[in-house]
Amino acid sequence: NAGVMQNPRHLVRRRGQEARLRCSPMKGHSHVYWYRQLPEEGLKFMVYLQKENIIDESGMPKERFSAEFPKEGPSILRIQQVVRGDSAAYFCASSPLTASSGSYEQYFGPGTRLTVT
Amino acid sequence: ILNVEQSPQSLHVQEGDSTNFTCSFPSSNFYALHWYRWETAKSPEALFVMTLNGDEKKKGRISATLNTKEGYSYLYIKGSQPEDSATYLCARPGSQGNLIFGKGTKLSVKP
C-alpha cells in the first residue's frame, strides 16, 4: 500500500507565475488535509477536503489560493500569481475517516518545497 | 492555554541518555492528542494518538503519557540513539478534524 504521494517534490516559480501542487492520498482514504510550513515556523493547517467537497478552508489565505479534490485524480493546491512569501514546504495528509473528535491518525506525504524567485 | 505548546524548543543529549519533553494543550473539550516524529527532509510520522486520561502508550523505546485534566502529555525516550534525532511534534484536533500543531521539540542525540 503506497503512502501519501506528493509531486513535485521541489518546485521553483518566478513571481507572478502559478504553482500547482498535487497530492494522492493513501488508497482507501477519502479525507485530505493541506498544511504549510513557513521558514522558522511550525506546520499550519490550510484546508480540509473530501471528494468533491471543501469541508474547511479556514486556514487558507483569502486570495490567490484554491484547492480541489475531484472525484477522480489527486487533490490539487493551486497558488496563482505567486509571491516570495509563498515560499514554503506544503504537506498534505490523508486519513480514512475523520470526525470532529480528530482521533484518527493522519498520514503525511513527503511535501512539496516551493521556492519563489 | 489556547493552543498547543511544547517545551523545550530544542534538546541535546548524549547517546544512551534518557530524555523527556512536554506538550501542553487546552484541557477543556479534550478529544485527542497526537504525537509525530519528523526527521529532516522526510514526512512527519505518526507515533501515538492518545484519547484517554491516564493513558500510556509505548512504541519500542518511546512512550507517552496523557493527563487531560491538567492538559499535558509527556513523551519519553529511553536510551536515546543518534537515529532518534528528529523534531517531535504534538497536535490537537481542530473543529473539523484538522490538526493544530505545536512548534515541536528538536532532539539531537550525539554519539
Side-chain angles (χ1 to χ4, degrees):
Chain A
N1 189 8
V4 177
M5 301 180 69
Q6 290 188 248
N7 67 79
R9 295 289 305 273
H10 300 274
L11 183 61
V12 179
R13 285 286 178 266
R14 289 199 198 98
R15 277 179 297 171
Q17 291 184 318
E18 179 179 287
R20 280 186 180 234
L21 288 62
R22 293 175 191 77
C23 169
S24 296
M26 285 181 73
K27 190 176 179 181
H29 289 193
S30 57
H31 302 263
V32 167
Y33 305 82
W34 285 93
Y35 295 86
R36 176 167 67 170
Q37 183 195 24
L38 292 167
E40 306 302 321
E41 292 192 21
L43 282 171
K44 302 286 187 194
F45 166 71
M46 297 181 75
V47 61
Y48 162 35
L49 308 108
Q50 293 179 26
K51 286 281 186 182
E52 300 184 279
N53 281 309
I54 296 174
I55 307 301
D56 180 3
E57 54 183 350
S58 58
M60 197 105 101
K62 295 281 185 273
E63 296 176 351
R64 303 186 296 108
F65 285 71
S66 62
E68 63 177 8
F69 188 14
K71 190 176 178 182
E72 301 290 337
S75 175
I76 307 280
L77 180 68
R78 183 180 176 211
I79 312 172
Q80 295 178 288
Q81 299 175 331
V82 296
V83 300
R84 286 219 173 111
D86 298 332
S87 296
Y90 292 82
F91 291 87
C92 96
S94 72
S95 69
L97 293 167
T98 194
S100 57
S101 66
S103 57
Y104 295 101
E105 284 183 0
Q106 293 184 15
Y107 296 84
F108 279 78
T112 293
R113 277 152 184 82
L114 172 65
T115 302
V116 180
T117 61
Chain B
I1 295 174
L2 295 177
N3 279 305
V4 178
E5 296 174 6
Q6 293 188 247
S7 63
Q9 191 174 350
S10 64
L11 198 51
H12 299 264
V13 302
Q14 289 293 133
E15 182 175 355
D17 288 350
S18 293
T19 187
N20 67 84
F21 22 93
T22 307
C23 173
S24 302
F25 52 87
S27 54
S28 58
N29 298 317
F30 175 83
Y31 290 109
L33 188 81
H34 296 240
W35 279 101
Y36 281 83
R37 180 174 179 275
W38 193 8
E39 284 184 72
T40 303
K42 294 189 177 179
S43 316
E45 173 196 352
L47 287 173
F48 307 114
V49 181
M50 308 185 78
T51 54
L52 298 174
N53 184 43
D55 210 2
E56 180 171 349
K57 295 204 171 182
K58 193 173 180 181
K59 186 183 277 191
R61 293 179 291 99
I62 304 176
S63 60
T65 61
L66 179 68
N67 183 324
T68 61
K69 294 188 189 305
E70 296 183 36
Y72 64 84
S73 175
Y74 293 136
L75 190 81
Y76 299 90
I77 303 178
K78 188 177 177 183
S80 303
Q81 300 296 308
E83 57 264 32
D84 296 328
S85 296
T87 296
Y88 292 84
L89 301 171
C90 69
R92 69 170 181 88
S95 59
Q96 296 286 349
N98 59 288
L99 292 175
I100 299 169
F101 284 91
K103 291 187 177 180
T105 293
K106 186 172 182 179
L107 175 67
S108 298
V109 182
K110 290 184 180 178

